[in-house]
Amino acid sequence: MEKKKKKKYRGFWLFFKIQLVLFILLAGAGIYYFAGGYANEVRLLKEDADTLTARANSETFRKGETGLVYDAHGDLLKEYKGEKDSYYIEYQDIPEIVEDIFVSVEDRKFYNHKGVDYLAIIRAVLAMLQNGEVTQGGSTITQQLARTVFLTTDRTWQRKMEEIFIARNLEDKFSKSQIIEFYVNNIYFGNGYYGIQAAAQGYFSKSIDKLNLSQTAFLCAIPNNPSIFDPLKHKKNTLKRRDLILDGLYDQGMISKDAAEQAKDKKIKLKRKKGTEKNNYVETFINHCAIRALMKARGFVFQHYFDSEKEEKAYRKEYSRLHEECEASLYSSGYRIYTSIQLNQQEKLQDALDVGLSDFTEVSGEGIYKLQGAGVTIDNTTGYVTAVVGGRTQEYEGYTLNRAYQSFRQPGSAIKPLLVYTPILERGYTPDTVVVDEPIPDGPANADGSYAGAMTMREAVNASKNTIAWKLLDQITPIAGLQYLKAMDFSQLSPEDERLPIALGGFTIGTSPLEMAAGYAALQNDGCYREPTCIIKIEDTQGNLIYTSEPEETGEEEGTRIYKSNAARMMTDMLQTVLVNGTGTGLGLGDMPAAGKTGTTDDNKDGWFVGYTRYYTTSIWVGYDQPQTLPGLMGSTYPGNIWHNYMMSIHEKRTPMGFVPYIEQKEVVTD
């Protein structure tokens, strides 16, 4: 009996202490609030919230602005259509299970609060005090609606406070059923779909009331994080969350156990609405670049390398949050997006790739050509991407992988100029420096199995000698070589790459055609790197500038200095020789001066050709999505021929223009 009393009093005192701590925290917050002068700021936030909601009506939640995208010539390229109005669904037409799912998953107290769950807010405040930032939302369905329609997802106390004021006002102005209606019609389901009806039509080509329980739960899994639960890119993630939703419905007595299990066992087969398949490589690349531009406009700094797992985890979390927000705004904010895409070049690059690989007709189980290719063109005057092809032309349902920037493959010898030769030229070597081609114990062999002895570095580049590249990288060290690639935003480098095989393109993951094109464009641009994007500027519906990538006219060099100018010019001079009597013999462009390099990986699994003129840089990759040997695949065969035919076509009417010559310098090579 005595023990029970002690336990009872112990529980009471524990409860009392918790309440006391909460009181002290709230009291302290109140003192800080007034003493710190925040009262006026909160008052202004309240006034702003009142203004926003005062003019809100049912139409506020129906319309989405149509965004416009223009090509390099100012012609309309595509539209981001606001689909809210055309796919808007009234409350009485919303299946009951949809409402049940969102209430059970997002806001179980929805019908009992006035827009704000204050206990959840307190938990979020405590978490903020503990972590030093807002880590928990504590947001009700009404708050989420307020944020989606009226605000951004910035994790600041000001945004949170205004969200609360708006949510309270919405609850006073609209009924619970109206708020549910607004909510399911405005939340983002990824890939440009706002509202559950648009998502049902987009992913299943059916109205929401025609979907079964499994499909409905699958759709409702997406809005929690449209990037992570994107059914086109991460279907397994979506299915896993669908199952959690079904388990939650069963636990709350909304569906039976049998219904939950049967729904989990059903296979989800997407059937995208005709015309919505993401088969356009230009569109997917524009989306990619535009989202990055909007993220930059909001102050986000991209990075690929981290000092700790904690730093990387925090970065990934913030990246995912902001990427989701910017992707959503892309489809609803009515932006005017001006790009550098030249459709005539795009068509020619696509045609060159299709014709160059037309003999290979074998397809995978999904009906996709097994042998693939990709290419990217950069305007060397501006640094902008003008054409991007992520694969062969083909009609099929589903998401199209844009291999131009989403695939990373071993670059073979095409990496040597960026990683080895230009860096060594900065250290006193010249094209005439004598190097020795000889066997290396535990080192690589040359592609032809022979060794030529003493030769100039120009000759070594010409013949793509593996032994020379290996020894030179050993001299400057792999770590030093990798710094050049990291400075040019090569995104898939790892600590495991700090080894000599990278001299020959032996990376853990690899590089993309976009990265290779940008690297070679830096050589042509006197050693200065420019981020490869197709977005020139973004304006809002009123013509106000949201983002621009156009450099300011300061008289300074364009881009980030990567290589010394003379080293880049010497490298270009040597790469010109490659097209005259080296591994790229026969791939020259007639009277148009050009420079380039072949790349072939072990067992002929990947073939590359990257080259440039004063006008354009183009990189071409050919290989299988699942790496396998292709007899006859070398940088000089399929990739080289595609590059040659395409570059000839886009230079057809251009005046030949030579490269800037390098300045002869005295060698300062030391052993």
Side-chain angles (χ1 to χ4, degrees):
M1 189 74 173
E2 187 66 28
K3 287 183 179 179
K4 287 184 180 180
K5 285 184 178 180
K6 286 183 178 179
K7 286 183 179 180
K8 181 178 179 181
Y9 285 119
R10 191 180 298 126
F12 170 78
W13 283 110
L14 178 61
F15 175 78
F16 176 77
K17 288 177 181 178
I18 291 174
Q19 297 302 311
L20 181 61
V21 169
L22 286 174
F23 175 78
I24 292 172
L25 285 171
L26 290 172
I31 294 171
Y32 181 72
Y33 164 71
F34 286 104
Y38 287 99
N40 188 56
E41 188 169 359
V42 171
R43 180 181 60 78
L44 293 174
L45 291 171
K46 175 67 167 62
E47 289 178 359
D48 189 45
D50 291 343
T51 301
L52 287 172
T53 52
R55 57 174 179 252
N57 54 41
S58 59
E59 288 301 305
T60 303
F61 304 94
R62 298 183 73 105
K63 296 188 179 297
E65 295 281 356
T66 297
L68 304 175
V69 181
Y70 301 95
D71 67 11
H73 303 293
D75 295 326
L76 186 63
L77 190 61
K78 67 165 291 186
E79 295 181 352
Y80 290 109
K81 290 188 177 180
E83 296 182 323
K84 292 182 186 179
D85 193 34
S86 56
Y87 288 110
Y88 195 90
I89 183 171
E90 305 289 345
Y91 178 77
Q92 61 268 22
D93 297 320
I94 299 171
E96 187 177 347
I97 191 63
V98 171
E99 184 173 352
D100 288 343
I101 289 174
F102 283 123
V103 171
S104 66
V105 171
E106 299 292 339
D107 187 3
R108 294 188 184 184
K109 298 179 181 178
F110 175 70
Y111 294 105
N112 299 318
H113 62 61
K114 290 288 290 180
V116 181
D117 182 347
Y118 290 103
L119 286 177
I121 294 292
I122 290 173
R123 287 195 298 269
V125 170
L126 291 175
M128 181 188 70
L129 294 173
Q130 181 180 0
N131 298 296
E133 62 174 340
V134 180
T135 57
Q136 294 182 17
S139 295
T140 63
I141 282 177
T142 318
Q143 286 175 260
Q144 291 179 48
L145 176 65
R147 180 172 64 238
T148 301
V149 176
F150 298 101
L151 303 169
T152 70
T153 57
D154 291 342
R155 290 176 180 267
T156 62
W157 72 266
Q158 292 96 332
R159 196 275 299 160
K160 195 70 179 177
M161 185 64 70
E162 190 167 9
E163 175 189 298
I164 290 172
F165 290 141
I166 292 174
R168 288 298 303 264
N169 289 348
L170 291 178
E171 291 272 349
D172 290 338
K173 192 167 188 174
F174 302 105
S175 67
K176 289 289 186 181
S177 59
Q178 284 179 299
I179 289 171
I180 285 290
E181 177 184 316
F182 300 153
Y183 179 77
V184 301
N185 280 289
N186 282 274
I187 49 176
Y188 188 54
F189 287 82
N191 297 291
Y193 302 130
Y194 275 90
I196 198 160
Q197 184 72 305
Q201 293 284 359
Y203 291 121
F204 292 109
S205 295
K206 292 181 180 180
S207 177
I208 182 62
D209 61 327
K210 303 298 182 185
L211 300 187
N212 59 41
L213 175 61
S214 180
Q215 293 168 324
T216 302
F218 181 85
L219 281 188
C220 293
I222 301 170
N224 181 263
N225 191 318
S227 297
I228 294 175
F229 301 117
D230 184 336
L232 302 183
K233 299 177 184 177
H234 309 295
K235 190 176 180 180
K236 288 182 179 178
N237 292 349
T238 324
L239 289 170
K240 188 179 293 186
R241 182 161 175 80
R242 174 204 65 176
D243 293 349
L244 288 174
I245 287 173
L246 292 168
D247 287 338
L249 291 174
Y250 164 66
D251 291 340
Q252 294 177 61
M254 295 180 175
I255 60 174
S256 67
K257 187 173 182 61
D258 285 344
E261 293 304 318
Q262 288 175 16
K264 284 194 282 186
D265 289 339
K266 281 190 177 293
K267 289 186 177 180
I268 296 292
K269 184 177 181 180
L270 300 177
K271 185 180 179 183
R272 303 200 66 202
K273 187 178 178 183
K274 193 171 183 180
T276 63
E277 293 89 350
K278 299 178 79 172
N279 289 337
N280 190 315
Y281 299 119
V282 168
E283 290 188 16
T284 55
F285 186 63
I286 289 174
N287 292 351
H288 166 74
C289 294
I291 292 170
R292 285 178 62 91
L294 292 172
M295 293 173 73
K296 280 186 175 183
R298 301 190 187 192
F300 189 81
V301 178
F302 293 92
Q303 65 183 95
H304 305 296
Y305 310 103
F306 307 91
D307 295 329
S308 66
E309 288 186 10
K310 183 179 180 182
E311 180 188 13
E312 182 175 4
K313 185 178 180 181
Y315 173 86
R316 300 295 178 203
K317 183 177 181 181
E318 178 61 14
Y319 174 94
S320 179
R321 181 193 69 80
L322 192 56
H323 187 281
E324 174 190 333
E325 179 185 333
C326 291
E327 180 187 29
S329 70
L330 187 65
Y331 290 95
S332 64
S333 299
Y335 296 126
R336 278 31 179 176
I337 301 175
Y338 298 85
T339 78
S340 54
I341 296 297
Q342 297 191 30
L343 287 182
N344 63 327
Q345 286 190 9
Q346 179 70 24
E347 292 169 1
K348 289 178 178 179
L349 182 55
Q350 184 71 69
D351 185 60
L353 187 72
D354 291 341
V355 172
L357 302 180
S358 60
D359 290 341
F360 299 90
T361 58
E362 187 180 6
V363 297
S364 66
E366 292 78 30
I368 302 171
Y369 286 126
K370 284 190 174 181
L371 184 66
Q372 285 291 343
V376 174
T377 297
I378 291 175
D379 185 327
N380 288 330
T381 301
T382 64
Y384 289 119
V385 173
T386 56
V388 54
V389 169
R392 297 167 66 180
T393 300
Q394 195 170 9
E395 292 293 332
Y396 60 92
E397 288 189 3
Y399 178 79
T400 298
L401 176 68
N402 194 328
R403 299 166 187 82
Y405 73 95
Q406 292 178 321
S407 291
F408 297 86
R409 301 297 287 265
Q410 303 301 312
S413 295
I415 201 66
K416 291 175 183 176
L418 305 179
L419 180 69
V420 180
Y421 287 120
T422 312
I424 204 72
L425 289 169
E426 290 191 321
R427 290 159 170 78
Y429 280 68
T430 75
D432 297 321
T433 299
V434 175
V435 291
V436 181
D437 176 27
E438 59 188 354
I440 302 174
D442 300 320
N446 290 318
D448 60 4
S450 66
Y451 303 92
M455 62 191 334
T456 65
M457 204 159 79
R458 182 187 298 276
E459 292 170 329
V461 172
N462 227 24
S464 198
K465 292 291 185 178
N466 290 336
T467 58
I468 304 302
W470 184 282
K471 289 196 293 185
L472 292 177
L473 183 63
D474 192 20
Q475 183 173 325
I476 66 175
T477 76
I479 293 177
L482 285 171
Q483 295 309 310
Y484 290 90
L485 302 188
K486 288 182 177 180
M488 293 188 289
D489 293 331
F490 278 62
S491 61
Q492 301 300 314
L493 306 178
S494 69
E496 289 73 26
D497 290 329
E498 295 174 358
R499 55 197 184 99
L500 289 173
I502 63 173
L504 316 180
F507 291 86
T508 306
I509 299 175
T511 63
S512 72
L514 180 68
E515 291 173 344
M516 293 296 288
Y520 273 69
L523 294 178
Q524 196 285 326
N525 193 38
D526 253 5
C528 288
Y529 168 83
R530 293 173 290 195
E531 180 188 359
T533 182
C534 67
I535 304 299
I536 297 174
K537 64 179 179 179
I538 300 177
E539 296 175 347
D540 64 16
T541 55
Q542 305 302 314
N544 299 309
L545 188 65
I546 301 296
Y547 169 85
T548 180
S549 58
E550 295 177 299
E552 296 181 9
E553 295 183 9
T554 60
E556 299 177 1
E557 60 191 16
E558 280 190 31
T560 301
R561 170 65 58 190
I562 304 296
Y563 305 107
K564 294 178 181 178
S565 293
N566 210 43
R569 294 175 185 178
M570 283 191 282
M571 189 71 250
T572 293
D573 190 78
M574 288 192 288
L575 291 177
Q576 285 183 264
T577 312
V578 171
L579 300 184
V580 177
N581 54 20
T583 57
T585 300
L587 299 177
L589 304 179
D591 294 335
M592 180 67 69
K597 183 72 182 74
T598 57
T600 309
T601 61
D602 290 344
D603 302 321
N604 306 93
K605 292 180 179 179
D606 297 278
W608 292 80
F609 194 92
V610 192
Y612 52 93
T613 65
R614 284 289 297 277
Y615 295 102
Y616 297 105
T617 297
T618 296
S619 69
I620 302 291
W621 164 83
V622 171
Y624 290 93
D625 284 334
Q626 300 299 320
Q628 66 183 68
T629 297
L630 174 61
L633 174 61
M634 294 186 291
S636 59
T637 57
Y638 302 107
N641 289 327
I642 292 168
W643 181 90
H644 168 81
N645 293 336
Y646 166 68
M647 291 288 273
M648 285 292 288
S649 71
I650 66 172
H651 287 84
E652 191 174 6
K653 296 181 180 180
R654 293 192 176 274
T655 303
M657 187 183 300
F659 295 105
V660 179
Y662 68 89
I663 301 171
E664 297 283 352
Q665 61 185 37
K666 183 179 179 181
E667 292 186 35
V668 288
V669 181
T670 57
D671 294 330

